[in-house]
Amino acid sequence: MPRPPTPPGDFRTQRPATHPPRPSRVTEAVRRGYDAYTRRARAWTAGYQERGGRVYCGAGCFACCNMPIRVSLAEALVTAQALTEGGAARMEAHARRVIQNARTAPSDDVYVERHRREVGYCPLLDRATGGCSRYDVRPTRCRDTFSALPARYCEAGAWEQMTRREREAYRREVARTPGTDGELHFIAPLEHLSEPIWASAAKAMRAEWGVEAWGDFWVLTTLARDAAFMAAIERGDARGAWRAAKAAGLAHPTVLEVG
C-alpha cells in the first residue's frame, strides 16, 4: 500500500537517509548552461525592447509560480544543494501534494488545473516580496518563461474565465504581438534559448551515470537528497532508483521518468 502523505508541518515520518547532494560534473554542466542562458537572454531582450517589444514579467510578479514544472535531475540537484533543512522539508511537503494530485487526477488537464489551484505556489516563493528565495538556482522553466502580455493572462483559470469575445480578442492580440508563437502570449525565442541547458543536462547525466532522470521539479529536488535514490542513480541502476523513489512514496509515471 502507498505510504500516506506526511501531515502538513509534521516531518517525523521523513526518512533519515537524506543528505545535501555534492557538486559534480552534472551540476557544473547545468550551472554553465544557466550562465550562458543569462547572457544570451539579456542580449536578445535588449534587442527586443529596442524594436518596441515589451516584457511584462518583473520583480514581485508571481502569477506563474503555481504552474507544474518539468526538470532534469541535473537541475534538481543544483537546487537541492542550496536548500536548508527547513527548505528541504517544505519542498518535500510540496512534492507529496504533487504526488497525491498525480495519483488521483483523471487527465493531464485536471492535473495541471489542480496543481495550480490546490497544490499551490512553489515553497521557494516568498509571498511577502513576490520573489524567489532561491532565485540564483531556479530551474530552466522559471528562467525562460516570459510574458508579452499583462500578468492577468498568466493567472490560473484566466482562459477558462474569458468569454468567447474575450478569447477572440486574446487570439488577435497574441497574433500581432512580436515575440510570441502566434498562439500563446509567452515569448517563444526566450524559451528556445534555454533548450541547450536541457541538452547539456541530458548529455552530462548519460556521461556521469549512464541513465537520465526527468520529472516534477519538487519531486526530483526531494529525491536528489535521498541517499538510496541517488546511490542507485550513480551506479546507473534505473530500476533501483525507481524502487527507491517508490519506497520514499515519490514514484508515479506522471512526475518521474528514469531510464
Side-chain angles (χ1 to χ4, degrees), residues 95-108:
R96 295 197 180 282
R97 291 194 293 273
V98 169
I99 284 288
Q100 182 63 20
N101 183 28
R103 288 171 176 163
T104 58
S107 67
D108 289 344

Side-chain angles (χ1 to χ4, degrees), residues 229 232 237-247 251-253 256-258:
F229 177 81
D237 182 3
R239 291 184 178 179
W242 182 267
R243 288 195 296 270
K246 186 175 181 180
H252 190 279
L256 180 63
E257 301 171 28
V258 185

Side-chain angles (χ1 to χ4, degrees), residues 96-258:
R96 295 197 180 282
R97 291 194 293 273
V98 169
I99 284 288
Q100 182 63 20
N101 183 28
R103 288 171 176 163
T104 58
S107 67
D108 289 344
D109 287 343
V110 173
Y111 172 81
V112 172
E113 178 187 358
R114 293 201 315 209
H115 188 287
R116 301 202 71 185
R117 295 187 180 279
E118 299 176 19
V119 176
Y121 287 101
C122 177
L124 300 183
L125 173 66
D126 183 338
R127 295 291 293 273
T129 65
C132 178
S133 62
R134 291 292 179 269
Y135 187 78
D136 57 327
V137 293
R138 68 199 188 283
T140 297
R141 190 51 72 211
C142 297
R143 293 168 188 265
D144 71 4
T145 300
F146 292 90
S147 177
L149 294 182
R152 66 178 180 273
Y153 293 110
C154 302
E155 295 174 353
W159 176 259
E160 291 78 8
Q161 293 168 12
M162 290 183 194
T163 65
R164 180 177 178 180
R165 181 173 295 179
E166 288 170 335
R167 291 184 180 184
E168 291 173 352
Y170 170 84
R171 292 189 180 99
R172 289 194 299 271
E173 184 67 17
V174 168
R176 63 173 174 254
T177 299
T180 72
D181 62 3
E183 296 183 2
L184 296 174
H185 62 281
F186 298 109
I187 299 177
L190 289 173
E191 293 183 344
H192 297 324
L193 281 177
S194 70
E195 290 169 3
I197 300 175
W198 292 49
S200 295
K203 182 178 180 180
M205 287 188 290
R206 281 287 169 190
E208 185 78 2
W209 305 323
V211 297
E212 297 178 36
W214 297 82
D216 174 80
F217 170 53
W218 301 278
V219 169
L220 274 180
T221 302
T222 299
L223 287 172
R225 296 173 61 91
D226 186 284
F229 177 81
M230 287 306 304
I233 288 289
E234 289 168 359
R235 64 175 180 264
D237 182 3
R239 291 184 178 179
W242 182 267
R243 288 195 296 270
K246 186 175 181 180
L250 293 171
H252 190 279
T254 300
V255 298
L256 180 63
E257 301 171 28
V258 185

Side-chain angles (χ1 to χ4, degrees), residues 32-65:
R32 287 194 299 271
Y34 286 167
D35 290 342
Y37 177 80
T38 297
R39 293 192 302 272
R40 293 166 183 163
R42 283 176 177 170
W44 186 92
T45 301
Y48 176 69
Q49 292 173 330
E50 288 174 2
R51 296 188 299 272
R54 181 173 177 182
V55 178
Y56 280 83
C57 306
C61 177
F62 53 91
C64 65
C65 293

